[in-house]
Amino acid sequence: MLIQTRRRSAALLVALAVGAVPAAAYAAGEQPAPAAAAHDAFKIVALGDSISLGYEPGVTRATDIYGYADRLYVNALLHGRAELANYGALGLQSAGLTRLLAGAVEGRKLTANELQDYSAYDPAAKAQADAVAAGAPALRDSLADADLVTLTIGGNDFAALVRDLVGKTDADASSSFEQTFDEKLNNYAEQLQANLRTLRSLAPQARIEVADQYSPVSKIVGDTLYAELNASIAKLSAKLDELKTSLAAEGVAVDIVHIGAAFQGKEVPYTHFSPIFGVTDIHPTQAGYETIARAFAAPVWPEYTEVVPSDKAANPAPTVHIKGKLLATQNKPQLKSNTTFLALSDIAAATGAELQWDNKTKTATFKQNGREVKLAIGAKTIVVDGVKQPLNVPAYLQTVGKVSKTYVPLAAITQGLDYQVVYQAKLHTAFINS
């Protein structure tokens, strides 16, 4: 994250606007456990710059975004209900974060220009930041209920410093870098400390994790400068560890997530930065975002799961995880009119719901936790706790081998039983939790 270019492609997403969806103080150095009540969602708030947003060069649609926060969301969904609110803003600097958090404290809508100077940015980037700034009151509400807050900030603070290295000789670049790095580091650490104090006051019950920085520059710049860059990354990381200890003494608990060391030696596969080909965008690749997600997940869950995208060519219907388990069945899921259908026996087995079948009326009844869902083959309505609701695509009979199976709409049944249903377009996968 050590640099982020100020010029953005005109293809940036205005659609990547904010996606949003008092407790006792913790003892010094302690972080709250990542557990919610049985029916509550585990709430994640991603905050900071475009790394938290999940931006990659060339992205033109919101559904193409799959950054570290999305991966954390997926892992949370494998453990139960979850929600993600992403307040990552393109180009955001530490001073801009300070103003955004102040807006949250005051419950006041802001503009991008109230956060920082966006005059040098592409209009689409400014529009995205405008949406995040306007969401400052919603940010306050999201943080108040958050279980996990992740923060990436600082890349834009060091941007000019590292951009200046491109095109310079090894000796000149090293001299220029050495003169200004320590001053920027001290300013960055001071602002981060203040921001984390504010963040803790806004998110009293959350585990707060802040990432250190990575360098996108490979050994192509020369061994001497490469070593100096990574020594600076190590110095920055150590500074954040000191900051964590200092804040803990105040009763402000945070975790430092170390991604700088993980990127060292893997700058080429983990970032888009390639000055030899004229590419100065330093955002992570998918491999880079995967590495960042693993680092953020480590303090929260004992195991991290990399969910592989479902193969649409092999089966247009999405892969389904119910209560954290991959649905494995010989009855292939079907897709009709953008609706996923499963054999009714598979839904009953996966959810544990009681299933009754009336052969005379061709009606299936699911019962679980005091709720009841009924639907008949061919009917354009579904009955949830005695109330009829419209059904876009009715249940139908499907021949599987020599047997006729009743296929029912997955989302309609599980939502009727009060399950959370989340579809991840990038993975072509549905996650269903009670």
Side-chain angles (χ1 to χ4, degrees):
M1 262 177 290
L2 195 54
I3 61 173
Q4 302 207 47
T5 53
R6 288 173 66 84
R7 291 180 302 163
R8 308 292 181 185
S9 166
L12 282 172
L13 303 176
V14 178
L16 289 176
V18 57
V21 281
Y26 293 92
E30 290 183 0
Q31 288 263 44
H39 201 60
D40 289 344
F42 183 76
K43 297 176 182 178
I44 302 171
V45 177
L47 181 64
D49 54 28
S50 54
I51 304 297
S52 283
L53 183 64
Y55 174 76
E56 282 189 85
V59 168
T60 57
R61 298 182 304 171
T63 53
D64 289 333
I65 287 288
Y66 193 58
Y68 84 76
D70 304 287
R71 288 169 161 86
L72 289 178
Y73 182 36
V74 164
N75 271 259
L77 288 167
L78 292 174
H79 289 83
R81 289 184 179 227
E83 296 174 8
L84 170 65
N86 196 321
Y87 294 87
L90 293 162
L92 191 69
Q93 301 168 13
S94 292
L97 175 62
T98 299
R99 297 181 185 107
L100 177 62
L101 291 175
V105 170
E106 298 167 6
R108 183 169 63 90
K109 292 184 178 181
L110 304 171
T111 65
N113 285 335
E114 288 180 278
L115 299 181
Q116 62 191 50
D117 181 9
Y118 269 91
S119 61
Y121 284 78
D122 183 278
K126 180 178 178 295
Q128 191 275 329
D130 268 326
V132 174
L139 172 60
R140 179 184 62 182
D141 295 339
S142 294
L143 289 172
D145 294 333
D147 295 291
L148 173 64
V149 178
T150 64
L151 174 64
T152 63
I153 196 70
N156 295 295
D157 297 51
F158 294 94
L161 176 61
V162 181
R163 274 202 312 272
D164 287 345
L165 302 179
V166 179
K168 287 186 177 180
T169 65
D170 197 2
D172 288 345
S174 179
S175 176
S176 172
F177 185 84
E178 186 176 356
Q179 289 175 8
T180 55
F181 178 78
D182 284 347
E183 180 182 353
K184 287 186 177 292
L185 174 58
N186 290 332
N187 289 338
Y188 166 66
E190 183 177 344
Q191 285 185 306
L192 180 60
Q193 185 174 45
N195 282 331
L196 288 173
R197 289 191 186 108
T198 304
L199 191 55
R200 171 52 73 199
S201 70
L202 288 165
Q205 64 188 19
R207 174 180 287 275
I208 297 175
E209 298 181 7
V210 56
D212 63 4
Q213 304 294 311
Y214 66 81
S215 169
V217 183
S218 69
K219 284 189 175 181
I220 194 171
V221 298
D223 290 341
T224 301
L225 182 55
Y226 181 76
E228 185 173 350
L229 280 169
N230 283 288
S232 298
I233 289 294
K235 183 187 292 187
L236 185 149
S237 184
K239 188 81 169 179
L240 296 191
D241 287 337
E242 293 175 7
L243 179 60
K244 173 184 175 179
T245 301
S246 175
L247 286 170
E250 303 175 16
V252 179
V254 299
D255 288 333
I256 305 302
V257 174
H258 297 284
I259 62 175
F263 273 59
Q264 186 173 350
K266 297 182 179 179
E267 298 87 359
V268 173
Y270 283 3
T271 77
H272 290 275
F273 188 70
S274 182
I276 195 172
F277 294 110
V279 180
T280 59
D281 190 296
I282 58 72
H283 287 87
T285 59
Q286 284 295 294
Y289 277 121
E290 185 70 34
T291 297
I292 296 172
R294 287 179 180 276
F296 272 118
V300 184
W301 299 291
E303 293 184 0
Y304 173 88
T305 302
E306 181 178 357
V307 178
V308 178
S310 178
D311 186 354
K312 284 187 178 183
N315 185 11
T319 295
V320 178
H321 291 261
I322 299 181
K323 296 182 181 179
K325 294 183 179 180
L326 177 64
L327 180 67
T329 174
Q330 294 181 339
N331 305 313
K332 195 173 182 179
Q334 302 294 320
L335 191 69
K336 282 195 169 187
S337 300
N338 291 319
T339 300
T340 301
F341 282 78
L342 291 183
L344 62 86
S345 57
D346 288 334
I347 293 181
T351 60
E354 176 188 346
L355 172 63
Q356 297 174 349
W357 174 252
D358 186 328
N359 196 48
K360 183 177 180 180
T361 61
K362 305 298 182 186
T363 298
T365 301
F366 294 86
K367 295 181 179 180
Q368 190 173 50
N369 298 327
R371 296 180 70 92
E372 181 182 86
V373 177
K374 288 186 176 184
L375 80 168
I377 292 177
K380 294 184 178 180
T381 57
I382 185 171
V383 182
V384 178
D385 290 340
V387 179
K388 284 188 176 182
Q389 300 176 5
L391 197 60
N392 292 332
V393 187
Y396 65 93
L397 287 175
Q398 170 89 15
T399 301
V400 180
K402 296 182 179 180
V403 180
S404 290
K405 293 279 185 179
T406 300
Y407 270 70
V408 293
L410 173 62
I413 297 296
T414 51
Q415 286 174 342
L417 292 173
D418 198 26
Y419 279 66
Q420 180 195 39
V421 180
V422 176
Y423 174 69
Q424 284 284 297
K426 186 72 174 180
L427 299 177
H428 191 46
T429 300
F431 298 88
I432 297 172
N433 285 296
S434 56

